[in-house]
């Protein structure tokens, strides 16, 4: 920058306290300059030595440096890529996650050294709670349990951050704060979250990742919480910053500032969003820079914000920049000289293999069919995912990748006698497509046009279920909808983009839109037909037709009929290979950008129908099937669990995927991964995906009360681990000291994930069936070896949110300690009594917040524009019921006061219920009020009929809301 006198200023003086350096900064910026710091980047200010840097960049499972987006176009830079986060969580290995974090932080530093423009505060990890397996972004999270998520994410964050007490190697920004688990309408939908769900579940991983992991920042979510957009959620300031002590800064999700007006319609101007966002705790607005600056100026001129608000934001974002070492005149930053050798190193390659191997979860191993060790046995490798590697949206560019088949071949290099065929057998159908006697062919330029039969292209069809299939040419090019030109072309070598334009669907002519591709396939193959007439749709449900030049094109109006000619069904070939082999390795699963991704939730838990059919047909001719599911989310594989002897599942993403699969298949490593999510039997067992109440929705292993396919924490090994002894001590009234002895009574070295769950036996309220409170991946246990593992569980981890007291409490109760290999495979248990508090009675003479109910029906929570949180009737055709238990009144009340609103017409009814049975026969009506067109919350007093009641009697208060009535709080006098 030429003049370097700025090096002598307090901003660059490492010896000064951080506060003084920040004081100097805000005192020496002009007001106009301050407006320019409200984005994730900052302007060049030469007199202060400030260069243009930015906060951001992805690092979900490695540094993302594809440079394929409009805002960061450039040459891709390969980085080490680990398993998807859901796979990393499947390792249950915090030490490993910390090592991965170190590798990611080092590689981020290398890229910074190359460009000097930022990328040292990455937007990862994603720790949204995965309460529903249909959520489209399941691959990005760490599972359904807040403790596991918090511990695993914290380890990753600590590795990224480094050990220096002041400087940061690479900062982590947690996504997305919070209750962000549906993709449909995600930019404006509201999540209804009551205090118990909030404090016990949704906030818990964020709290741990900040207080324990020392995350540098958080990103707010797109959604609303109880009607308030997350960008103006005051909990960011009140809880994240003031209670948990977030040291760095807060950003909003991409484009969310403008969405607050355009989609949420919460404010009428961007200036209001900026103003209320700043006051709620947002420091950087990830949005169009010019719009952000203009809105901030308007907010300032209107008196909605002050210069102090700008200073607070700048201090927070520059606190991160200073600790990243951007202003280091004395050269004390220990991470400033990380060299190129740290990127794609042999150490990182080995770490990627370790992570991919430990992420393998052995779901089933009937008859100990695995590992494959008999040199005289033969096997074949088949399936649609057997020789492919798919990239996910947050993946970087890999230095290399290994498909399952490549990994198996590499393992058997030099000795191919076991592998029946080196040719991949994907089991997919090949077809020709005809229109009015001519056939679709591919020109040199990639256009699809009609021609003679001799030039007909043979297309490979892959069915991904849910009306999505991909069509590939014999040259490996995918048909893709090019909306700009209005054509269907075959130029893409991979299925990958924000919008997957390579997804098509066929419909039989007899039933437009009614038949899936699986049905079409069954008609062609099972009925031994050679052709079928169909129509074809694009990913946007446009028609596929022809333009005037005769090229395959996109049409909004014309729907043409194609004839599909079956060349080979794929399954017969697969069955031939399977029948001639001793064992079948069948690789199936998902494509991470089809059916389930950002902006797309799954509608069910089913395997793609074609894959299900392939598995069943292969099993008919050879029951020795080893099914490998490469998937980032649970499947309801009911038939496979009953019939397939060995099943392994693992997440996609790792560059070492194929090598890891081979290592586990052939016994170099005993699989010891565990499921971080419950695998359910059927979609119908789940409540609607929009329901965020895990307690009353019986969600996750904590509350689910039906049979499951595979429980949370499930995973097998190649040996037998015995759980022999459990001791539990209650120490200093603050912690449990738990010791477990395990022993390897098998004949193979293996890891074992020891899991500690705790159940509260008595409570005034609904408590989980059990909750994970400690775990350890015990490594390299030798045959015959026994180990004692010690766990310390703080009693603060046993607290829950009490709606009577309005805060977290440790309730006096017996607590059962359950130790085992999964949430359902409990090996040892003990009971200990903990002298916590005894919950008292509700004092109705103090204001009771309406959302502090014990139970409810037909209700949701909503907070109007900067108003009070209220209980609202969900379906106005039915009554909303609220129950408040443990009520005792010592003196006869006269009136019931309620803070209510009623935009139309509605009623509120107050009733008594017997505390013991809560049945309608015990109900006594105490009072009622009807309102109409009350557009603001107001205090309304209702006379109470107490003649049939007795003071000092414990009862349940029932409040019934009808039609448009909203209730915020109440009390009696």
């Amino acid at each position: 920058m030429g003049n370097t006198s700025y090096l002598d200023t307090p901003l660059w003086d490492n010896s000064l306290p951080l506060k003084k350096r920040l004081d100097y900064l805000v005192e020496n910026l002009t007001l106009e300059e301050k407006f320019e710091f409200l984005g994730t980047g900052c302007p060049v200010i030469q007199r202060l030595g400030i260069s243009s840097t930015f906060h951001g960049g992805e690092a979900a499972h490695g540094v993302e440096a594809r440079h394929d987006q409009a805002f960061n176009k450039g040459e891709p830079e390969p980085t080490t890529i680990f398993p998807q986060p859901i796979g990393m969580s499947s390792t249950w290995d915090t030490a490993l996650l910390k090592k991965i974090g170190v590798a990611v932080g080092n590689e981020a530093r290398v890229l910074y050294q190359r460009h000097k423009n930022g990328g040292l505060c990455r937007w990862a990890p994603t720790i949204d709670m995965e309460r529903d397996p249909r959520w489209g972004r399941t691959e990005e999270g760490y599972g359904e349990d807040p403790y596991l998520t918090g511990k695993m994410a914290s380890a990753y964050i600590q590795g990224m951050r480094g050990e220096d007490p002041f400087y940061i190697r690479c900062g982590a920004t947690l996504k997305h704060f919070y209750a962000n688990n549906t993709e449909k309408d995600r930019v404006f939908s509201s999540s209804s979250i009551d205090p118990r769900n909030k404090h016990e579940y949704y906030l818990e991983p964020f709290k741990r990742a900040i207080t324990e992991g020392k995350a540098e920042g958080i990103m707010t979510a797109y959604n609303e919480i109880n009607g308030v957009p997350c960008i103006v959620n005051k909990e960011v300031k009140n809880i994240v910053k003031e209670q948990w002590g977030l040291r760095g800064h807060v950003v909003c999700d991409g484009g969310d500032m403008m969405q607050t007006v355009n989609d949420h319609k919460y404010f009428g101007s961007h200036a209001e969003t900026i103003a209320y966002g700043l006051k709620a705790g947002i420091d950087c607005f990830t949005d169009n820079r010019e719009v952000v600056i203009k809105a901030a100026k308007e907010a300032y001129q209107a008196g909605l914000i002050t210069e102090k608000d700008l200073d607070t934001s700048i201090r927070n974002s520059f606190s991160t920049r200073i600790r990243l070492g951007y202003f280091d005149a004395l050269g004390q930053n220990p991470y400033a000289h990380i060299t190129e050798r740290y990127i794609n190193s042999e150490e990182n390659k080995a770490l990627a293999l370790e992570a991919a191997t430990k992420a393998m979860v052995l779901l089933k191993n009937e008859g100990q069919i695995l590992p494959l060790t008999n040199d005289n046995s033969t096997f074949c490798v088949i399936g649609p995912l057997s020789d492919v590697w798919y990239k996910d949206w947050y993946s970087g560019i890999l230095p290399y990748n290994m498909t399952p088949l490549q990994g198996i071949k590499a393992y058997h290099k030099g000795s191919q006698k076991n592998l029946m065929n080196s040719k991949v057998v994907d089991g997919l159908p090949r077809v020709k497509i005809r229109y009015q006697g001519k056939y679709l062919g591919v020109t040199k330029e990639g256009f699809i046009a009609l021609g003679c039969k001799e030039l007909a292209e043979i297309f490979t069809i892959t069915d991904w279920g849910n009306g999505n299939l991909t069509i590939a040419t014999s040259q490996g090019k995918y048909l893709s909808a090019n909306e700009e030109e209005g054509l269907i072309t075959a130029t893409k070598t991979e299925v990958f983009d924000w919008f997957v334009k390579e997804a098509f669907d066929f419909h039989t002519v007899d039933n437009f839109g009614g038949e899936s591709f699986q049905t079409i396939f069954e008609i062609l193959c099972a009925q031994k037909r050679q052709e079928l007439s169909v129509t074809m749709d694009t990913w946007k449900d446009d028609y596929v037709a022809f333009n005037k030049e005769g090229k395959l094109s996109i049409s909004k109006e014309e729907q043409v009929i194609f004839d599909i000619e079956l060349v080979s069904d794929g399954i017969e070939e697969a069955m031939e290979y399977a029948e001639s082999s001793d064992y079948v390795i069948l690789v199936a699963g998902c494509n991470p950008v089809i059916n389930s991704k950002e902006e797309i939730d799954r509608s069910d838990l089913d395997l793609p129908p074609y894959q299900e059919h392939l598995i069943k047909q292969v099993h008919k001719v050879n029951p020795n099937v080893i099914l490998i599911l490469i998937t980032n989310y649970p499947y309801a594989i009911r038939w496979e669990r009953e019939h397939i002897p060995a099943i392994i599942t693992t997440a996609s993403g790792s560059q070492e995927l194929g090598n890891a699969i081979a290592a586990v298949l052939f016994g170099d490593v005993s699989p010891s991964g565990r499921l971080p999510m419950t695998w359910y039997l059927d979609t119908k067992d789940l409540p609607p995906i929009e329901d965020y109440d895990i307690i009353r929705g019986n969600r996750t292993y904590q509350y689910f009360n039906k049979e499951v396919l595979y429980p949370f924490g499930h995973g097998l090994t190649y040996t037998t681990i015995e759980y022999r002894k459990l001791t539990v001590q209650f120490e200093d009234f603050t912690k449990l000291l738990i010791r477990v002895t395990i022993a390897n009574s098998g004949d193979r070295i293996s890891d074992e994930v020891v899991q500690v769950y705790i159940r509260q036996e008595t409570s005034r309220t609904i408590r989980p069936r059990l909750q994970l409170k400690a775990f350890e991946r015990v490594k390299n246990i030798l045959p015959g070896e026994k180990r004692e593992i010690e766990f310390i569980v703080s009693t603060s981890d046993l607290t829950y949110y009490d709606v009577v007291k309005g805060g977290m409490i440790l309730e006096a109760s017996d607590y059962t300690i359950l130790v085992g290999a999964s949430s359902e495979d409990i090996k040892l248990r003990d009971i200990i009594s903990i002298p916590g508090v005894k919950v008292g009675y509700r004092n109705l003479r103090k204001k009771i917040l309406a959302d502090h109910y014990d139970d409810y029906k037909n209700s949701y929570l909503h907070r109007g524009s900067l108003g009070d949180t209220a209980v609202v009737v969900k379906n106005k055709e039915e009554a909303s019921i609220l129950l408040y238990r443990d009520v005792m009144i010592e003196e006869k009340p006269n009136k019931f006061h309620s803070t209510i609103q009623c935009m139309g017409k509605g009623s509120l009814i107050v009733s008594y219920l017997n505390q013991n049975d809560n049945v309608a026969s015990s109900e006594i009506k105490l009072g009622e009020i009807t309102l109409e067109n009350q557009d603001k919350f107001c205090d309304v007093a209702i006379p109470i009929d107490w003649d049939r009641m007795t003071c000092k009697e414990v009862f349940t208060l029932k409040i019934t809301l009808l039609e448009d009535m909203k209730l915020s709080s109440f009390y009696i006098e």
Side-chain angles (χ1 to χ4, degrees):
M1 290 188 180
N3 181 10
T4 58
S5 60
Y6 56 79
L7 293 174
D8 297 325
T9 65
L11 176 61
W12 287 77
D13 189 345
N14 306 52
S15 67
L16 291 177
L18 180 61
K19 180 180 181 301
K20 288 191 175 182
R21 299 171 73 177
L22 294 170
D23 287 343
Y24 172 83
L25 173 66
V26 296
E27 289 167 3
N28 284 272
L29 289 172
T30 68
L31 178 61
E32 285 296 314
E33 288 170 340
K34 289 177 181 181
F35 290 125
E36 298 188 47
F37 283 85
L38 290 181
T40 53
C42 68
V44 175
I45 302 178
Q46 292 189 0
R47 71 179 187 283
L48 299 177
I50 297 175
S51 58
S52 180
T53 57
F54 64 90
H55 292 320
E58 305 293 345
H61 54 116
V63 177
E64 188 274 293
R66 299 195 310 263
H67 302 308
D68 59 355
Q69 302 300 294
F71 62 86
N72 69 352
K73 282 286 187 184
E75 288 298 316
E77 298 175 279
T79 55
T80 306
I81 303 301
F82 300 92
Q84 290 264 27
I86 195 68
M88 293 197 294
S89 188
S90 299
T91 69
W92 291 58
D93 189 341
T94 54
L96 172 64
L97 265 286
K98 188 170 184 178
K99 290 179 183 177
I100 294 172
V102 171
V104 169
N106 285 340
E107 294 200 350
R109 275 279 165 185
V110 172
L111 297 185
Y112 173 73
Q113 293 295 112
R114 289 177 184 174
H115 307 295
K116 298 290 186 181
N117 63 351
L120 283 182
C121 200
R122 293 271 161 176
W123 293 338
T126 296
I127 58 172
D128 299 296
M129 292 315 312
E130 302 192 312
R131 68 198 162 84
D132 194 306
R134 294 167 293 187
W135 182 40
R137 301 180 74 169
T138 295
E139 63 192 31
E140 297 178 42
Y142 287 72
E144 70 185 48
D145 182 75
Y147 181 83
L148 176 67
T149 296
K151 296 295 286 188
M152 297 295 282
S154 290
Y156 187 53
I157 293 162
Q158 289 165 358
M160 292 173 67
R161 182 184 186 87
E163 303 295 334
D164 192 90
F166 181 80
Y167 287 102
I168 307 167
R169 176 195 286 115
C170 178
T173 300
L174 306 174
K175 301 194 299 188
H176 309 83
F177 191 76
Y178 62 95
N180 177 234
N181 292 139
T182 51
E183 295 306 296
K184 184 178 184 295
D185 300 331
R186 64 177 183 154
V187 299
F188 59 83
S189 62
S190 180
S191 307
S192 182
I193 310 291
D194 66 24
R196 283 201 61 195
N197 280 277
K198 176 171 71 175
H199 290 285
E200 297 174 29
Y201 191 67
Y202 293 104
L203 293 187
E204 182 58 29
F206 288 94
K207 177 182 178 181
R208 191 175 298 275
I210 290 170
T211 59
E212 183 179 310
K214 306 299 181 186
E216 185 60 22
I218 67 165
M219 174 185 285
T220 54
Y222 282 135
N223 56 284
E224 298 176 3
I225 296 172
N226 300 341
V228 178
C230 288
I231 194 173
V232 291
N233 177 12
K234 292 180 181 179
E235 291 169 333
V236 171
K237 181 176 182 290
N238 299 339
I239 296 179
V240 174
K241 292 184 173 181
E242 294 178 357
Q243 292 185 28
W244 299 343
L246 180 75
R247 194 175 181 187
H249 64 280
V250 177
V251 302
C252 71
D253 206 344
D256 197 31
M257 187 206 72
M258 288 195 284
Q259 286 171 176
T260 308
V261 172
N262 300 339
D263 296 288
H264 293 278
K265 303 189 186 306
Y266 194 78
F267 294 123
S269 70
H270 299 317
E272 292 172 284
T273 303
I274 288 280
Y276 285 99
L278 283 173
K279 293 182 185 299
I282 305 296
D283 300 305
C284 303
F285 295 85
T286 315
D287 216 318
N288 182 288
R289 182 172 178 270
E290 287 73 23
V291 176
V292 169
I293 294 171
K294 182 175 183 290
K297 289 180 179 180
E298 290 175 358
Y300 180 80
Q301 291 162 2
L304 297 176
I305 59 173
T306 66
E307 190 167 357
K308 185 178 178 181
D309 294 322
L310 301 176
D311 290 348
T312 299
S313 164
I314 293 167
R315 293 177 75 94
N316 290 333
S317 63
F318 262 78
S319 169
T320 298
R321 287 184 169 94
I322 289 172
R323 287 179 289 113
L324 285 169
Y326 293 168
F327 306 95
D328 182 26
L330 301 181
Q332 294 177 336
N333 176 14
Y335 309 115
H337 304 292
I338 290 175
T339 65
E340 289 281 336
R341 82 167 189 85
Y342 284 93
I343 198 165
N344 298 316
S345 64
E346 288 300 312
E347 295 89 342
N348 287 359
K349 177 181 177 182
L351 189 61
L353 177 59
E354 180 186 356
T357 304
K358 287 184 173 179
M360 299 279 163
V361 181
L362 180 61
L363 296 177
K364 182 180 179 183
N365 194 20
E366 188 178 273
Q368 302 302 303
I369 189 174
L370 290 176
L372 297 175
T373 57
N374 188 344
D375 290 339
N376 296 319
S377 298
T378 59
F379 58 86
C380 63
V381 181
I382 62 177
L385 273 74
S386 57
D387 196 28
V388 293
W389 190 97
Y390 292 125
K391 187 167 62 183
D392 61 272
W393 186 250
Y394 288 105
S395 172
I397 293 293
L398 300 84
Y400 63 90
N401 65 64
M402 294 292 288
T403 71
L405 182 65
Q406 288 170 341
I408 291 168
K409 283 184 175 182
Y411 187 91
H412 286 271
K413 188 176 182 180
S415 175
Q416 292 284 343
K417 63 179 182 178
N418 299 79
L419 186 58
M420 286 295 293
N421 292 281
S422 59
K423 174 175 175 276
V424 62
V425 184
D426 55 26
L428 297 173
R430 268 74 179 173
V431 301
K432 293 179 181 179
I433 302 176
R434 190 178 73 240
Y435 175 70
Q436 294 184 352
K438 294 185 178 181
Y439 290 81
L440 296 186
V442 183
T443 69
K444 292 180 180 179
E445 298 80 15
F447 298 117
I448 313 298
L450 292 170
C452 63
K453 186 173 185 179
E454 290 73 22
L455 297 178
E457 178 61 46
I458 298 176
F459 298 100
T460 300
I461 311 295
T462 305
D463 170 34
W464 298 105
N466 299 115
N468 287 307
L469 55 90
T470 54
I471 307 170
T473 70
S474 56
Q475 301 301 311
K477 300 293 181 67
Y478 288 93
L479 267 62
S480 181
N482 185 333
E483 275 85 10
E484 291 183 3
E485 299 181 8
L487 296 173
I488 307 296
T489 59
T491 56
K492 294 279 294 281
T493 57
E494 65 175 343
V495 177
F496 185 80
D497 213 328
W498 182 259
F499 299 110
V500 182
K501 300 180 180 181
E502 294 71 50
F504 294 87
D505 197 13
F506 290 151
H507 304 286
T508 58
V509 172
D510 295 336
N511 187 3
F512 283 174
E515 303 291 357
S516 68
F517 176 67
Q518 173 59 20
T519 305
I520 293 171
F521 174 81
E522 288 175 352
I523 294 172
L524 282 171
C525 302
Q527 297 182 13
K528 302 300 181 184
R529 290 176 59 176
Q530 293 302 307
E531 63 180 57
L532 191 69
S533 297
V534 301
T535 59
M536 189 173 170
D537 294 344
T538 73
W539 68 286
K540 291 180 71 174
D541 294 328
D542 292 328
Y543 302 134
V544 175
F546 294 93
N547 65 8
K548 295 179 179 179
E549 288 76 35
K551 296 174 182 176
L552 202 63
S553 63
I554 302 166
S555 175
K556 299 287 186 181
E557 300 174 356
E558 184 184 10
Q559 187 176 39
V560 303
I561 298 173
F562 299 93
D563 296 312
I564 297 180
E565 291 185 9
L566 185 66
V567 177
S568 62
D569 67 8
I571 288 189
E572 284 191 10
E573 185 182 21
M575 292 172 69
E576 289 175 9
Y577 282 108
E579 196 169 18
S580 59
S581 303
D582 294 319
Y583 298 97
V584 179
I585 300 170
L586 200 161
V587 192
C590 74
N591 183 312
V593 295
I594 298 177
N595 289 335
S596 181
K597 64 177 285 288
E598 190 167 354
E599 289 199 336
I600 300 173
D601 293 314
R602 286 193 294 167
S603 59
D604 58 46
L605 305 178
D606 299 337
L607 269 177
Y610 182 83
Q611 292 187 19
E612 183 101 25
H613 186 65
L614 172 65
I615 294 166
K616 289 178 178 179
Q617 294 302 108
V618 167
H619 181 265
K620 280 183 181 179
V621 298
N622 189 340
N624 294 325
V625 175
I626 296 118
L627 175 61
I628 299 174
L629 285 175
I630 302 173
T631 175
N632 305 314
Y633 40 76
Y635 281 123
I637 49 171
R638 298 181 297 274
W639 187 91
E640 288 75 12
R641 185 186 68 169
E642 294 301 316
H643 297 88
I644 302 300
I647 307 173
I648 295 172
T649 186
T650 191
S652 67
S654 173
Q655 62 193 44
E656 287 285 343
L657 178 65
N659 287 332
I661 288 173
V664 168
L665 279 176
F666 302 110
D668 281 6
V669 177
S670 174
S672 303
R674 298 291 191 270
L675 294 178
M677 296 186 73
T678 302
W679 284 40
Y680 297 96
L681 280 166
D682 201 295
T683 311
K684 68 178 186 234
D685 291 335
L686 299 172
I689 193 172
E690 298 82 10
D691 178 8
Y692 278 78
D693 189 336
I694 73 161
I695 300 171
R696 286 156 190 83
N698 296 321
R699 285 191 182 276
T700 81
Y701 78 95
Q702 295 187 28
Y703 296 98
F704 193 72
N705 54 10
K706 299 178 183 178
E707 181 188 357
V708 301
L709 191 72
Y710 295 108
F712 173 82
H714 174 73
L716 308 175
T717 71
Y718 288 158
T719 192
T720 302
I721 302 294
E722 295 181 356
Y723 288 66
R724 293 182 174 175
K725 185 180 180 182
L726 169 65
T727 62
V728 182
Q729 295 174 258
F730 184 41
E731 294 194 343
D732 304 325
F733 295 95
T734 62
K735 62 187 176 184
L736 297 178
L737 181 61
I738 302 168
R739 293 188 177 93
V740 183
T741 300
I742 62 173
N744 186 349
S745 59
D747 57 2
R748 285 182 174 273
I749 186 172
S750 181
D751 293 359
E752 173 72 0
V753 178
V754 180
Q755 303 165 43
V756 178
Y757 298 87
I758 297 181
R759 176 170 61 236
Q760 184 178 336
E761 294 299 336
T762 57
S763 177
R764 69 162 299 277
T765 191
I766 300 170
R767 299 293 290 124
R769 295 170 54 247
L770 71 171
Q771 288 178 292
L772 181 72
K773 293 301 177 185
F775 65 91
E776 183 177 338
R777 183 166 182 138
V778 186
K779 298 170 185 174
N780 301 318
I781 312 169
L782 300 173
E785 182 185 4
K786 69 176 183 179
R787 302 249 189 109
E788 183 181 74
I789 304 98
E790 183 176 287
F791 301 96
I792 296 175
V793 177
S794 171
T795 52
S796 64
D797 285 339
L798 304 180
T799 60
Y800 74 93
Y801 190 91
D802 177 48
V803 293
V804 174
K805 291 185 176 295
M808 301 296 288
I809 66 165
L810 175 66
E811 192 174 15
S813 173
D814 286 343
Y815 290 79
T816 300
I817 316 303
L818 307 113
V819 180
S822 83
S823 59
E824 295 295 327
D825 187 10
I826 301 300
K827 309 289 188 179
L828 302 168
R829 64 186 67 211
D830 196 2
I831 297 178
I832 191 165
S833 181
I834 297 179
V837 302
K838 181 174 176 57
V839 180
Y841 303 113
R842 288 184 186 267
N843 182 1
L844 293 191
R845 295 195 182 273
K846 293 183 178 180
K847 185 171 76 170
I848 305 295
L849 298 177
D851 63 1
H852 280 51
Y853 42 64
D854 284 296
D855 207 351
Y856 67 90
K857 179 183 177 182
N858 189 37
S859 309
Y860 71 96
L861 298 176
H862 191 270
R863 181 171 176 250
S865 297
L866 309 176
D868 297 320
T869 299
V871 179
V872 183
V873 181
K874 191 172 186 178
N875 177 3
K876 294 181 182 179
E877 302 301 316
E878 302 174 21
S880 170
I881 307 296
L882 307 173
L883 299 180
Y884 303 86
R885 299 192 178 101
D886 296 311
V887 176
M888 187 176 73
I889 298 175
E890 295 187 354
E891 298 178 3
K892 180 179 178 180
N894 296 313
K895 294 180 180 179
F896 179 91
H897 288 264
S898 59
T899 305
I900 53 180
Q901 180 189 27
C902 191
M903 299 295 289
K905 183 178 181 180
S907 300
L908 181 150
I909 303 169
V910 186
S911 305
Y912 159 97
L913 283 178
N914 184 287
Q915 176 80 353
N916 296 320
D917 55 30
N918 286 346
V919 295
S921 60
S922 72
E923 184 171 344
I924 299 173
K925 182 177 176 181
L926 302 177
E928 180 178 359
I929 185 71
T930 297
L931 285 183
E932 189 170 359
N933 299 325
Q934 177 62 49
D935 61 351
K936 292 183 180 180
F937 278 99
C938 62
D939 181 88
V940 177
I942 307 171
I944 295 179
D945 180 6
W946 200 258
D947 293 341
R948 297 168 61 189
M949 303 293 298
T950 303
C951 290
K952 297 185 179 181
E953 175 187 1
V954 180
F955 66 96
T956 295
L957 184 74
K958 175 183 176 182
I959 297 179
T960 302
L961 305 178
L962 299 174
E963 299 182 68
D964 296 312
M965 186 64 73
K966 300 178 181 179
L967 173 66
S968 176
S969 62
F970 58 89
Y971 67 96
I972 64 169
E973 67 166 346

